Amino acid sequence: MNDHRTDSEHAAAIPGEFRADPGLGVDDGELIDGFTLTELEDYVEAGREPRRSDIESSPDALRMVVGLEQVMALTRRAVDDADALPQPSIDWFDRIRGFLSREVRSGQALPLRHELAEDALTVDEAAVRSYLRAVVDGIEGVLTVRTHFVGEVTRLDAPVEVTVIISTAYGQPIQPRTRRVREEVSRVLSRHTDLNVVSLDIRVTDLHSSEGDGDE
Amino acid sequence: MVNRRLLDAPDRILVERSQDGDDAAFDIIIRRHSAKLLGYARQILRSTHEADDVVQETWVTAWRTLSQLQNPEALTGWLMRIVSNRAIDRIRAHRETASLDLLDNAGPDHERPDARAMVSSDLSQVRRVLGELPDLPRQCWFLREVGGYSYEEIAEQLEVSHSTVRGAISRARRMLITRLEGLL
């Protein structure tokens, strides 16, 4: 894909030979056991596939191939090794929170049943979901992953299917937890919304480490 | 109050919760990944101030577009990509305001430190050597190796030819292999 030999302007003029842009001076023409450095770079770029036995059997060429792979790996490690990098200051994080606080995401308005007022009463879907998460997270060994309300939630009495996806802690029985989640979700929805919940599905998609459980 | 379990939760759970609108989960993602993103942005831009701006913009973009992240496991690569795009904007803006010769500026590549002096080095030394690369080779190298861009994409984004990108990356690689010889 990155073969310079397909670079038409050069390929036409100097077949089979690499010429870099003038000024970069990248190719010094030095041969490593008969291979140009460019040739070895191409091989590394291609992930050493297809296997070139001529390169693989030359100790000098192979040393260069491994060296090239190592500088690639070192670059990624230098970036990935976040532990060695200074953490940003609290102010820095606060500034980002400031930016994000302007990015309000509100949900749909869920209508509430009431007899007195002429004005419609509603509760914000995002607030309900946030509260659901907090309640479900409060159950030992359970972490909320997602909540879904499917149906015309903005129309009173429209059938709504609710799905709550959870992660449970490793090594803990799942059944009692899904039962608790079901009870808590039902309680929250019936107390704080007038959704006509026709089905409530609790799904476990994930297991998480139990670290942090029980000592909040 | 931050839920302890959430602090320890894997990225994939935090991503899904954030997509669901949970700003506390997103806050943990920010705390977990900012140092790495800043490190990358500083390396590519060689400016702490600009790197700060780029990463802050990245988090706003990430929050707005998180629903587009289909595979929560791919979070890090996705974030790196946003940082890369933002950094590219800065690089282009610089080029427009200052008529620098990007092909051959500033790099102290005439200095050739003794490779043997690096034997006892660590990643901070790798970072220093990376930071000493001239602008275009450094930018292309990071976009390729960390940002995951193809040569074609780099050429298009930085508005240079494919062969210039190829040459710049080759130059970066050769300088690194010379200067990091003691670590290899």
Side-chain angles (χ1 to χ4, degrees):
Chain A
M1 166 180 80
N2 298 312
D3 192 345
H4 56 273
R5 291 182 184 92
T6 60
D7 197 326
S8 58
E9 50 197 314
H10 298 314
I14 312 172
E17 187 187 341
F18 175 67
R19 245 194 63 196
D21 276 0
L24 283 173
V26 292
D27 202 319
D28 51 16
E30 184 195 344
L31 290 180
I32 300 151
D33 199 12
F35 301 99
T36 64
L37 194 44
T38 308
E39 197 172 2
L40 299 180
E41 286 182 295
D42 286 345
Y43 185 51
V44 170
E45 286 269 356
R48 290 164 79 171
E49 291 291 341
R51 208 85 174 151
R52 291 262 311 258
S53 58
D54 53 346
I55 294 177
E56 299 285 342
S57 63
S58 156
D60 286 344
L62 197 57
R63 203 163 65 87
M64 181 56 76
V65 163
V66 171
L68 291 169
E69 286 176 340
Q70 283 176 327
V71 292
M72 289 156 81
L74 276 176
T75 300
R76 289 186 208 119
R77 270 183 58 199
V79 172
D80 283 343
D81 184 32
D83 293 344
L85 298 166
Q87 277 290 329
S89 66
I90 292 172
D91 285 354
W92 189 87
F93 285 113
D94 284 346
R95 242 185 346 264
I96 291 180
R97 282 191 198 101
F99 290 130
L100 292 177
S101 65
R102 290 176 222 147
E103 303 278 324
V104 182
R105 274 194 208 169
S106 54
Q108 304 183 85
L110 312 182
L112 293 174
R113 202 182 300 285
H114 61 106
E115 290 158 12
L116 298 172
E118 293 87 43
D119 294 334
L121 261 187
T122 61
V123 58
D124 181 52
E125 182 190 351
V128 171
R129 278 148 63 115
S130 171
Y131 186 52
L132 264 186
R133 275 195 296 270
V135 169
V136 173
D137 286 349
I139 300 168
E140 197 194 335
V142 178
L143 208 47
T144 319
V145 178
R146 285 247 189 197
T147 56
H148 293 290
F149 297 164
V150 179
E152 279 183 76
V153 292
T154 55
R155 190 166 63 82
L156 212 53
D157 295 325
V160 176
E161 294 172 0
V162 175
T163 303
V164 176
I165 301 172
I166 58 167
S167 164
T168 59
Y170 283 119
Q172 300 200 12
I174 292 173
Q175 287 280 343
R177 276 168 184 77
T178 54
R179 206 163 41 236
R180 274 292 306 284
V181 172
R182 178 178 296 280
E183 288 164 9
E184 290 295 321
V185 171
S186 295
R187 186 182 61 78
V188 168
L189 292 179
S190 63
R191 185 172 296 179
H192 299 280
T193 76
D194 281 323
L195 291 174
N196 173 23
V197 179
V198 292
S199 73
L200 172 54
D201 193 11
I202 310 297
R203 280 190 225 158
V204 182
T205 59
D206 208 292
L207 297 174
H208 63 263
S209 142
S210 57
E211 230 172 285
D213 266 315
D215 56 352
E216 287 160 63
Chain B
M1 191 188 120
V2 179
N3 181 327
R4 274 285 316 273
R5 258 175 284 158
L6 206 51
L7 283 175
D8 297 324
D11 281 351
R12 61 180 184 277
I13 291 182
L14 297 175
V15 168
E16 292 212 55
R17 287 179 67 121
S18 303
Q19 288 173 331
D20 235 15
D22 183 1
D23 49 5
F26 195 67
D27 200 61
I28 295 170
I29 292 178
I30 293 174
R31 279 193 263 174
R32 199 175 278 179
H33 293 282
S34 282
K36 188 190 297 183
L37 300 186
L38 277 170
Y40 172 45
R42 281 175 191 158
Q43 286 276 9
I44 199 165
L45 291 167
R46 227 161 25 192
S47 155
T48 305
H49 175 70
E50 283 201 306
D52 278 3
D53 288 351
V54 159
V55 175
Q56 284 174 355
E57 290 164 14
T58 294
W59 287 124
V60 175
T61 303
W63 177 248
R64 284 181 190 156
T65 58
L66 201 60
S67 59
Q68 294 167 16
L69 176 60
Q70 306 267 323
N71 174 14
E73 305 274 0
L75 175 69
T76 307
W78 185 72
L79 291 171
M80 287 294 190
R81 191 80 177 186
I82 300 175
V83 172
S84 303
N85 285 333
R86 294 286 167 175
I88 286 167
D89 290 345
R90 300 279 167 149
I91 292 166
R92 281 158 66 163
H94 276 305
R95 244 190 271 175
E96 280 159 23
T97 53
S99 56
L100 294 173
D101 179 5
L102 280 161
L103 294 183
D104 207 23
N105 76 331
D109 54 330
H110 48 280
E111 300 166 20
R112 301 193 112 213
D114 183 354
R116 279 165 298 182
M118 293 180 188
V119 171
S120 63
S121 296
D122 56 11
L123 289 176
S124 67
Q125 197 148 7
V126 175
R127 279 188 204 102
R128 185 178 60 72
V129 171
L130 286 164
E132 286 171 358
L133 295 174
D135 283 350
L136 190 66
R138 192 186 72 257
Q139 290 157 357
C140 292
W141 177 252
F142 274 107
L143 289 174
R144 170 85 184 152
E145 295 303 325
V146 184
Y149 282 64
S150 69
Y151 283 28
E152 287 77 10
E153 287 172 313
I154 299 171
E156 190 184 324
Q157 293 294 324
L158 296 183
E159 295 166 337
V160 293
S161 72
H162 180 279
S163 58
T164 298
V165 172
R166 189 185 163 77
I169 287 179
S170 179
R171 184 176 178 192
R173 200 186 274 126
R174 286 159 204 225
M175 289 173 73
L176 291 172
I177 210 162
T178 306
R179 293 176 181 192
L180 297 174
E181 196 179 355
L183 293 178
L184 304 179

